[in-house]
């Protein structure tokens, strides 16, 4: 295993920020406000809670590295119990965050924006990837060759996730609207099963399930557009950010450590994904080396907001946002909290 050079910030260096209200940092802000260190807390080396609930997901390779290597457990020591909960999709991660079942969850940027626009008090604290993880998929014998051919057809998609928003953008690009297709709201794995079983004509797929469908079932990607995929967002609730900034920092530090390891060990990362997802190593290698850009800054900011601004009108027009444009605009202006990633990446 290669040596990781990025410094992990210990509890004593950040315990003084525990009363910091780390919210409202918009794109482009270098918000790394410091609070006076609490000597009693720093001397004791105590964490702000004795448990941390966090998700892992096959669409988030870094989470698999952290869990497998015990990186968080190593940072937190014996004083904090780490509870790992698997997210089957961005919509499930958002449900876990909203219910308080996890403190930190991984979603696509579009799903995070939708959740915040609809009142979920989450912010992105780290970027885990810039993937091409979605495309429009059809069966091996399908005569559908373009988005335009989807008119009047049934399409499987998981609402509230990047593949769903990919579908909306693809339809618009093809001169169609949501009303031109019949969307079957199925979880990602069920969408693949519906496609393979012939109950839908197409599927808005998500890797690594999508890559496995190509390899195992001969399914075809008829429409790809990397620009329609939003970044991988690591999100935390505002309550967690405000009351447990030391733990939030520990999580982001773990992600930055995992990123360095994954970039230096792509073959091992692919093997880990294959094991957890139950897919062939060749499929996992395609996902990691061709469709998962992990070599991206973990600091959320202008790049992510620029992508979200492109899909904001799509969100509004979909009718999935309560409050419409005003709610989306408000969410855009407040979804980013770069404080922890800036510290982790900058090694402050």
């Amino acid at each position: 295993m290669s040596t990781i050079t990025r410094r992990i910030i210990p509890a004593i260096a950040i315990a003084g920020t525990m009363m910091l209200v780390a919210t409202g940092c918009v794109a482009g802000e270098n918000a790394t406000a410091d609070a006076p260190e609490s000597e009693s807390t720093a001397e004791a080396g105590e964490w702000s809670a004795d448990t941390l609930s966090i998700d892992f997901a096959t669409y988030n390779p870094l989470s698999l590295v952290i869990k497998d290597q015990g990186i968080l457990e190593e940072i937190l020591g014996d004083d904090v119990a780490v509870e790992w909960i698997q997210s089957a999709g961005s919509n499930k991660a958002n449900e876990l965050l909203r219910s308080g079942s996890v403190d930190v969850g991984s979603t696509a940027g579009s799903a995070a924006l939708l959740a915040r626009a609809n009142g979920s008090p989450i912010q992105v604290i780290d970027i885990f990837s810039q993937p091409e993880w979605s495309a429009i998929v059809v069966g091996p014998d399908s005569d559908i060759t373009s988005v335009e051919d989807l008119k009047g057809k049934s399409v499987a998609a998981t609402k509230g996730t990047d593949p769903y928003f990919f579908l909306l953008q693809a339809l618009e690009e093809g001169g169609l609207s949501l009303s031109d297709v019949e969307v079957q709201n199925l979880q990602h794995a069920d969408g693949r099963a519906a496609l393979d079983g012939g109950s839908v004509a197409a599927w808005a797929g998500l890797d690594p399930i999508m890559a496995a469908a190509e390899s195992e079932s001969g399914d075809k990607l008829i429409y790809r557009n990397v620009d329609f995929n939003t970044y991988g967002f690591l999100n935390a609730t505002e309550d967690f950010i405000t009351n447990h900034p030391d733990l939030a920092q520990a999580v982001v530090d773990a992600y930055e450590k995992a990123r360095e390891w994954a970039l230096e060990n792509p073959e091992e990362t692919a093997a880990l994904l294959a094991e957890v997802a139950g897919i062939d190593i060749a499929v996992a290698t395609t996902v990691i080396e061709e469709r998962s850009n992990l070599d991206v800054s973990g600091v959320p900011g202008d790049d992510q907001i620029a992508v979200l601004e492109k899909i904001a009108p799509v969100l509004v027009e979909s009718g999935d946002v309560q409050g419409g444009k005003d709610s989306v605009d408000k969410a855009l202006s407040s979804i980013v909290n770069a404080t922890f990633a800036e510290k982790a990446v900058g090694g402050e």
Side-chain angles (χ1 to χ4, degrees), residues 99-165:
S99 67
S101 298
V102 297
D103 302 308
V104 182
S106 43
T107 74
S110 57
L113 179 62
L114 174 64
R116 186 165 179 87
N118 279 328
S120 181
I122 61 170
Q123 291 186 306
V124 52
I125 59 174
D126 193 67
I127 300 300
F128 61 81
S129 69
Q130 183 188 19
E132 184 191 4
W133 53 18
S134 185
I136 304 300
V137 189
V138 299
D141 301 321
S142 175
D143 57 2
I144 296 174
T145 60
S146 67
V147 173
E148 291 81 357
D149 293 337
L150 294 177
K151 186 172 184 178
K153 302 293 195 303
S154 59
V155 183
T158 309
K159 287 190 174 182
T161 70
D162 232 27
Y164 175 69
F165 298 117

Side-chain angles (χ1 to χ4, degrees), residues 252-315:
V252 175
D253 288 342
Y255 263 84
E256 291 310 311
K257 184 174 183 179
R259 189 193 315 277
E260 286 197 2
W261 186 88
L263 290 174
E264 294 175 2
N265 300 274
E267 293 181 359
E268 291 88 340
T269 303
L272 179 58
L273 175 61
E275 178 185 355
V276 177
I279 57 178
D280 186 79
I281 185 62
V283 175
T285 299
T286 296
V287 173
I288 295 298
E289 297 187 359
E290 297 180 21
R291 299 181 186 170
S292 299
N293 179 15
L294 303 177
D295 191 13
V296 61
S297 173
V299 181
D302 291 341
D303 289 344
Q304 289 72 43
I305 292 299
V307 173
L308 294 182
E309 285 176 341
K310 291 180 181 178
I311 71 164
V314 178
L315 282 181

Side-chain angles (χ1 to χ4, degrees), residues 196-222:
D196 289 347
S199 58
V200 296
W203 167 49
L206 178 72
D207 274 335
I209 303 170
M210 181 172 70
E214 286 183 277
S215 174
E216 298 166 1
S217 304
D219 292 342
K220 300 178 293 186
L221 309 188
I222 62 153

Side-chain angles (χ1 to χ4, degrees), residues 9 14 17-18 20-35 123-127 234 241-242 245-246 248-250 252-253 256 298-301 335-348:
I9 301 175
I14 55 177
T17 67
M18 290 179 54
L20 171 64
V21 180
T23 58
C25 303
V26 299
E29 289 183 346
N30 295 316
T32 55
D34 295 318
Q123 291 186 306
V124 52
I125 59 174
D126 193 67
I127 300 300
L234 187 69
I241 290 170
T242 301
D246 56 338
Q249 188 67 62
V252 175
D253 288 342
E256 291 310 311
V299 181
I335 195 170
V336 171
N337 188 321
T339 306
F340 306 104
E342 287 172 342
K343 288 183 178 180
V345 172
E348 296 178 5

Side-chain angles (χ1 to χ4, degrees), residues 54-137:
I54 185 169
D55 81 340
F56 70 99
T58 56
Y59 55 86
N60 178 358
L62 297 187
S63 70
L64 307 184
V65 173
I66 295 169
K67 183 175 184 293
D68 181 68
Q69 296 185 6
I71 296 175
L72 256 180
E73 288 83 353
E74 181 180 353
I75 294 173
L76 297 172
D78 297 331
D79 294 331
V80 181
V82 180
E83 180 184 17
W84 289 96
I85 299 175
Q86 185 167 9
S87 291
S90 293
N91 61 323
K92 296 302 182 182
N94 275 325
E95 290 174 9
L96 292 170
L97 283 163
R98 184 183 284 274
S99 67
S101 298
V102 297
D103 302 308
V104 182
S106 43
T107 74
S110 57
L113 179 62
L114 174 64
R116 186 165 179 87
N118 279 328
S120 181
I122 61 170
Q123 291 186 306
V124 52
I125 59 174
D126 193 67
I127 300 300
F128 61 81
S129 69
Q130 183 188 19
E132 184 191 4
W133 53 18
S134 185
I136 304 300
V137 189

